[in-house]
Amino acid sequence: MGLPSRGLTEALVADFRRSGGRVRFSTEVKRIGQRNGSNGSTAIVHSSVDSQEYDQVITCAGLQADRLAARSGEDKNPSVVPFFGQYFILEPRFNDTVNGLIYPVPDPKYPFLGVHVTRRIDGGLMIGPDAFLSFSREGYKGLGLNVPDSLAVATDPGFWRFAAGNMATAAREIGGVLSIEKFVAEAARYVPALDGAGGRRATRGIRAQAMNRNGTLVDDFVIDRAGATMFVRNAPSPGATSALAIAEHLIDTAALT
């Protein structure tokens, strides 16, 4: 998470606590049940610590969205397939090469941004991300191999349908994953001044890509309602930028029930 996003999140948490809210970290939600009564339905959140009942629950489980929904009795689709994105921070002598953001022409069949050039708020220059299948939903370093996560992808028929139509793109992307030189060369195709640039890898991110059974990638919001619970199944880019507007929509929707 970048510094602006972290600062915003910390400010929201502080506001929430001042209003009497309670934040619980490191508390895994196992499933969410529903209870129907004479005054309407409520949601029961079963966590690794206890079970508590609420009038309204909104889940934003990201990389675990499909699993939490399935454990709560909802459809397991769309499934989540993790893709990691790696950024590369160029050496300082390239800081003034560009003055803004430069993006390649998108491939409509492959809904990732491609390697683009970004001016950071600290004045540095960053390129990326690449986009390649992650072998773990939460493996942010090294190979990040997680056997259950890998098996989930391997047994997902939608993924194989997607892969069959994107082999050429995957072959291009893996070059940048394995070689920093090829990673930089991809950006230098449209910013020639970056050719041969050095630098360092930045923190890896993992995208929770929702995928349909037929292998198509979900490129719109998916919000399911089950009794007193709303499951945010997919919040595509720019979900972070739109977070406050999305929150208003969810609250408005909850108020109508």
Side-chain angles (χ1 to χ4, degrees):
M1 180 181 292
L3 290 178
S5 298
R6 177 175 178 174
L8 172 62
T9 303
E10 291 174 343
L12 291 172
V13 168
D15 286 346
F16 181 63
R17 284 172 166 161
R18 279 195 295 269
S19 299
R22 182 164 59 108
V23 179
R24 301 174 68 176
F25 296 106
S26 302
T27 305
E28 180 185 2
V29 176
K30 299 292 188 179
R31 63 183 179 87
I32 301 173
Q34 306 297 326
R35 175 175 292 168
N36 296 317
S38 57
N39 295 323
S41 61
T42 57
I44 305 174
V45 178
H46 302 277
S47 75
S48 57
V49 176
D50 56 20
S51 297
Q52 296 197 33
E53 189 170 358
Y54 301 91
D55 293 332
Q56 297 281 349
V57 169
I58 299 173
T59 75
C60 302
L63 287 156
Q64 305 295 333
D66 58 336
R67 291 173 174 172
L68 178 58
R71 292 198 302 265
S72 302
E74 301 304 302
D75 196 334
K76 66 178 181 180
N77 287 287
S79 60
V80 170
V81 176
F83 285 83
F84 72 76
Q86 184 75 57
Y87 286 91
F88 189 67
I89 300 176
L90 300 181
E91 52 193 319
R93 65 188 178 95
F94 290 92
N95 285 0
D96 297 325
T97 304
V98 301
N99 295 319
L101 310 178
I102 300 178
Y103 286 76
V105 176
D107 181 352
K109 296 180 180 179
Y110 199 72
F112 299 107
L113 296 175
V115 175
H116 52 275
V117 183
T118 304
R119 284 295 301 270
R120 292 160 51 93
I121 60 174
D122 61 4
L125 198 64
M126 180 173 68
I127 62 174
D130 49 13
F132 200 75
L133 178 67
S134 175
F135 296 105
S136 171
R137 295 197 183 196
E138 297 176 11
Y140 294 95
K141 295 181 180 179
L143 183 60
L145 178 62
N146 179 284
V147 174
D149 289 349
S150 298
L151 288 175
V153 174
T155 56
D156 187 335
F159 168 74
W160 291 109
R161 294 186 180 99
F162 166 79
N166 290 276
M167 287 299 183
T169 304
R172 184 183 73 238
E173 290 287 334
I174 198 171
V177 173
L178 300 176
S179 169
I180 291 177
E181 290 75 16
K182 290 184 178 180
F183 193 40
V184 173
E186 188 69 23
R189 291 173 57 197
Y190 45 93
V191 186
L194 298 180
D195 188 38
R200 60 181 175 84
R201 292 188 184 274
T203 304
R204 173 185 295 178
I206 300 180
R207 174 173 177 167
Q209 178 60 59
M211 185 172 294
N212 293 314
R213 291 184 180 90
N214 63 3
T216 58
L217 303 187
V218 182
D219 59 4
D220 200 355
F221 291 92
V222 177
I223 302 171
D224 293 338
R225 187 68 190 257
T229 304
M230 276 189 286
F231 294 89
V232 181
R233 303 290 299 266
N234 192 49
S237 180
T241 305
S242 307
L244 297 182
I246 297 169
E248 289 180 356
H249 170 73
L250 295 175
I251 295 301
D252 290 344
T253 302
L256 294 175
T257 59

